[in-house]
Amino acid sequence: MTHVFSEETHRDLLSRIPHCTGREVSDWLRTVEDGPALRFDEKVSWLRSEHDLAYGHAKALVHEYDLRRAARKLL
């Protein structure tokens, strides 16, 4: 079973990504967009292995990407 972060934890993780990685969240979201078409957990693993991200940061990025992609579909 996949652990689900609270909304507050999700936002906190996103806010720390630029400091921890040296890249903005928008830059990471483009990386996810341009990356391989995988399932959620596989995208998280890909970010961890290919880009050396911490688990929480990788999961927060993939979750944020999915939220924004879903919001675009509603428009």
PDB file of all heavy atoms in Angstrom, residues 6-7 12 22-23 32 34 42 44 46 51 57 61 68 73:
ATOM      1  N   SER A   6      -0.219  14.040   3.779  1.00  0.00           N
ATOM      2  CA  SER A   6      -1.260  15.047   3.966  1.00  0.00           C
ATOM      3  C   SER A   6      -0.982  16.208   3.009  1.00  0.00           C
ATOM      4  O   SER A   6       0.132  16.363   2.497  1.00  0.00           O
ATOM      5  CB  SER A   6      -1.259  15.559   5.406  1.00  0.00           C
ATOM      6  OG  SER A   6      -0.096  16.335   5.639  1.00  0.00           O
ATOM      7  N   GLU A   7      -1.984  17.037   2.791  1.00  0.00           N
ATOM      8  CA  GLU A   7      -1.815  18.210   1.917  1.00  0.00           C
ATOM      9  C   GLU A   7      -0.717  19.119   2.458  1.00  0.00           C
ATOM     10  O   GLU A   7       0.099  19.645   1.702  1.00  0.00           O
ATOM     11  CB  GLU A   7      -3.138  18.973   1.801  1.00  0.00           C
ATOM     12  CG  GLU A   7      -3.069  20.158   0.872  1.00  0.00           C
ATOM     13  CD  GLU A   7      -2.799  19.803  -0.580  1.00  0.00           C
ATOM     14  OE1 GLU A   7      -3.118  18.681  -1.004  1.00  0.00           O
ATOM     15  OE2 GLU A   7      -2.258  20.661  -1.306  1.00  0.00           O
ATOM     16  N   ASP A  12       4.793  21.225   2.015  1.00  0.00           N
ATOM     17  CA  ASP A  12       6.075  21.424   2.677  1.00  0.00           C
ATOM     18  C   ASP A  12       7.207  20.770   1.872  1.00  0.00           C
ATOM     19  O   ASP A  12       8.264  21.374   1.669  1.00  0.00           O
ATOM     20  CB  ASP A  12       6.034  20.851   4.094  1.00  0.00           C
ATOM     21  CG  ASP A  12       7.284  21.150   4.885  1.00  0.00           C
ATOM     22  OD1 ASP A  12       7.722  22.319   4.891  1.00  0.00           O
ATOM     23  OD2 ASP A  12       7.836  20.204   5.488  1.00  0.00           O
ATOM     24  N   GLY A  22      18.463  22.420  -5.931  1.00  0.00           N
ATOM     25  CA  GLY A  22      19.014  23.474  -6.777  1.00  0.00           C
ATOM     26  C   GLY A  22      18.186  23.723  -8.033  1.00  0.00           C
ATOM     27  O   GLY A  22      18.592  24.489  -8.898  1.00  0.00           O
ATOM     28  N   ARG A  23      17.036  23.089  -8.135  1.00  0.00           N
ATOM     29  CA  ARG A  23      16.141  23.248  -9.292  1.00  0.00           C
ATOM     30  C   ARG A  23      14.743  23.584  -8.805  1.00  0.00           C
ATOM     31  O   ARG A  23      14.284  23.055  -7.792  1.00  0.00           O
ATOM     32  CB  ARG A  23      16.081  21.961 -10.120  1.00  0.00           C
ATOM     33  CG  ARG A  23      17.362  21.625 -10.834  1.00  0.00           C
ATOM     34  CD  ARG A  23      17.308  20.288 -11.528  1.00  0.00           C
ATOM     35  NE  ARG A  23      16.266  20.227 -12.562  1.00  0.00           N
ATOM     36  CZ  ARG A  23      15.967  19.116 -13.222  1.00  0.00           C
ATOM     37  NH1 ARG A  23      16.586  17.973 -12.966  1.00  0.00           N
ATOM     38  NH2 ARG A  23      15.030  19.136 -14.146  1.00  0.00           N
ATOM     39  N   VAL A  32       9.516  15.366 -15.274  1.00  0.00           N
ATOM     40  CA  VAL A  32       8.531  14.275 -15.166  1.00  0.00           C
ATOM     41  C   VAL A  32       7.746  14.164 -16.475  1.00  0.00           C
ATOM     42  O   VAL A  32       7.537  13.065 -16.990  1.00  0.00           O
ATOM     43  CB  VAL A  32       7.582  14.478 -13.962  1.00  0.00           C
ATOM     44  CG1 VAL A  32       6.485  13.435 -13.942  1.00  0.00           C
ATOM     45  CG2 VAL A  32       8.367  14.453 -12.656  1.00  0.00           C
ATOM     46  N   ASP A  34       8.638  15.020 -19.485  1.00  0.00           N
ATOM     47  CA  ASP A  34       9.489  14.526 -20.571  1.00  0.00           C
ATOM     48  C   ASP A  34      10.032  13.123 -20.320  1.00  0.00           C
ATOM     49  O   ASP A  34      10.604  12.519 -21.215  1.00  0.00           O
ATOM     50  CB  ASP A  34      10.667  15.479 -20.784  1.00  0.00           C
ATOM     51  CG  ASP A  34      10.222  16.851 -21.269  1.00  0.00           C
ATOM     52  OD1 ASP A  34       9.089  16.966 -21.784  1.00  0.00           O
ATOM     53  OD2 ASP A  34      10.998  17.812 -21.101  1.00  0.00           O
ATOM     54  N   GLU A  42       6.494   3.769 -10.357  1.00  0.00           N
ATOM     55  CA  GLU A  42       7.635   3.626 -11.274  1.00  0.00           C
ATOM     56  C   GLU A  42       8.257   4.989 -11.585  1.00  0.00           C
ATOM     57  O   GLU A  42       9.483   5.088 -11.704  1.00  0.00           O
ATOM     58  CB  GLU A  42       7.185   2.953 -12.573  1.00  0.00           C
ATOM     59  CG  GLU A  42       6.772   1.507 -12.377  1.00  0.00           C
ATOM     60  CD  GLU A  42       6.115   0.907 -13.599  1.00  0.00           C
ATOM     61  OE1 GLU A  42       5.424   1.642 -14.346  1.00  0.00           O
ATOM     62  OE2 GLU A  42       6.282  -0.303 -13.809  1.00  0.00           O
ATOM     63  N   VAL A  44       8.267   7.510  -9.503  1.00  0.00           N
ATOM     64  CA  VAL A  44       8.990   7.849  -8.275  1.00  0.00           C
ATOM     65  C   VAL A  44      10.347   7.141  -8.270  1.00  0.00           C
ATOM     66  O   VAL A  44      11.389   7.767  -8.021  1.00  0.00           O
ATOM     67  CB  VAL A  44       8.170   7.484  -7.020  1.00  0.00           C
ATOM     68  CG1 VAL A  44       8.999   7.636  -5.751  1.00  0.00           C
ATOM     69  CG2 VAL A  44       6.899   8.331  -6.941  1.00  0.00           C
ATOM     70  N   TRP A  46      12.010   6.039 -10.838  1.00  0.00           N
ATOM     71  CA  TRP A  46      12.821   6.599 -11.909  1.00  0.00           C
ATOM     72  C   TRP A  46      13.482   7.902 -11.462  1.00  0.00           C
ATOM     73  O   TRP A  46      14.685   8.102 -11.675  1.00  0.00           O
ATOM     74  CB  TRP A  46      11.947   6.830 -13.148  1.00  0.00           C
ATOM     75  CG  TRP A  46      12.656   7.545 -14.242  1.00  0.00           C
ATOM     76  CD1 TRP A  46      13.601   7.031 -15.092  1.00  0.00           C
ATOM     77  CD2 TRP A  46      12.498   8.914 -14.605  1.00  0.00           C
ATOM     78  NE1 TRP A  46      14.028   8.004 -15.957  1.00  0.00           N
ATOM     79  CE2 TRP A  46      13.364   9.172 -15.682  1.00  0.00           C
ATOM     80  CE3 TRP A  46      11.700   9.952 -14.129  1.00  0.00           C
ATOM     81  CZ2 TRP A  46      13.461  10.424 -16.285  1.00  0.00           C
ATOM     82  CZ3 TRP A  46      11.790  11.192 -14.730  1.00  0.00           C
ATOM     83  CH2 TRP A  46      12.659  11.418 -15.787  1.00  0.00           C
ATOM     84  N   HIS A  51      17.825  10.680 -11.046  1.00  0.00           N
ATOM     85  CA  HIS A  51      18.088  12.056 -10.633  1.00  0.00           C
ATOM     86  C   HIS A  51      18.480  12.179  -9.166  1.00  0.00           C
ATOM     87  O   HIS A  51      18.592  13.291  -8.651  1.00  0.00           O
ATOM     88  CB  HIS A  51      16.869  12.931 -10.936  1.00  0.00           C
ATOM     89  CG  HIS A  51      16.552  12.978 -12.395  1.00  0.00           C
ATOM     90  ND1 HIS A  51      17.262  13.763 -13.276  1.00  0.00           N
ATOM     91  CD2 HIS A  51      15.631  12.312 -13.132  1.00  0.00           C
ATOM     92  CE1 HIS A  51      16.769  13.595 -14.502  1.00  0.00           C
ATOM     93  NE2 HIS A  51      15.782  12.713 -14.433  1.00  0.00           N
ATOM     94  N   HIS A  57      10.634  13.708  -1.882  1.00  0.00           N
ATOM     95  CA  HIS A  57      10.635  14.718  -2.936  1.00  0.00           C
ATOM     96  C   HIS A  57      10.145  14.132  -4.259  1.00  0.00           C
ATOM     97  O   HIS A  57       9.341  14.750  -4.967  1.00  0.00           O
ATOM     98  CB  HIS A  57      12.031  15.315  -3.115  1.00  0.00           C
ATOM     99  CG  HIS A  57      12.464  16.144  -1.969  1.00  0.00           C
ATOM    100  ND1 HIS A  57      13.780  16.321  -1.638  1.00  0.00           N
ATOM    101  CD2 HIS A  57      11.750  16.843  -1.047  1.00  0.00           C
ATOM    102  CE1 HIS A  57      13.873  17.102  -0.577  1.00  0.00           C
ATOM    103  NE2 HIS A  57      12.650  17.428  -0.205  1.00  0.00           N
ATOM    104  N   LEU A  61       6.726  15.302  -6.190  1.00  0.00           N
ATOM    105  CA  LEU A  61       6.760  15.802  -7.560  1.00  0.00           C
ATOM    106  C   LEU A  61       5.810  15.034  -8.473  1.00  0.00           C
ATOM    107  O   LEU A  61       5.080  15.635  -9.265  1.00  0.00           O
ATOM    108  CB  LEU A  61       8.181  15.730  -8.118  1.00  0.00           C
ATOM    109  CG  LEU A  61       9.133  16.795  -7.605  1.00  0.00           C
ATOM    110  CD1 LEU A  61      10.570  16.443  -7.956  1.00  0.00           C
ATOM    111  CD2 LEU A  61       8.746  18.155  -8.175  1.00  0.00           C
ATOM    112  N   ARG A  68      -1.741  18.445 -11.445  1.00  0.00           N
ATOM    113  CA  ARG A  68      -1.796  19.484 -12.484  1.00  0.00           C
ATOM    114  C   ARG A  68      -2.289  18.918 -13.812  1.00  0.00           C
ATOM    115  O   ARG A  68      -3.027  19.594 -14.536  1.00  0.00           O
ATOM    116  CB  ARG A  68      -0.431  20.136 -12.651  1.00  0.00           C
ATOM    117  CG  ARG A  68      -0.047  20.958 -11.430  1.00  0.00           C
ATOM    118  CD  ARG A  68       1.263  21.645 -11.601  1.00  0.00           C
ATOM    119  NE  ARG A  68       1.667  22.319 -10.380  1.00  0.00           N
ATOM    120  CZ  ARG A  68       2.596  23.258 -10.339  1.00  0.00           C
ATOM    121  NH1 ARG A  68       3.231  23.629 -11.439  1.00  0.00           N
ATOM    122  NH2 ARG A  68       2.913  23.817  -9.191  1.00  0.00           N
ATOM    123  N   LYS A  73      -7.089  18.539 -17.664  1.00  0.00           N
ATOM    124  CA  LYS A  73      -8.126  17.763 -18.332  1.00  0.00           C
ATOM    125  C   LYS A  73      -9.517  18.289 -18.029  1.00  0.00           C
ATOM    126  O   LYS A  73     -10.436  18.127 -18.819  1.00  0.00           O
ATOM    127  CB  LYS A  73      -8.034  16.287 -17.939  1.00  0.00           C
ATOM    128  CG  LYS A  73      -6.875  15.580 -18.560  1.00  0.00           C
ATOM    129  CD  LYS A  73      -6.875  14.116 -18.194  1.00  0.00           C
ATOM    130  CE  LYS A  73      -5.709  13.386 -18.836  1.00  0.00           C
ATOM    131  NZ  LYS A  73      -5.680  11.979 -18.476  1.00  0.00           N
TER     132      LYS A  73
END
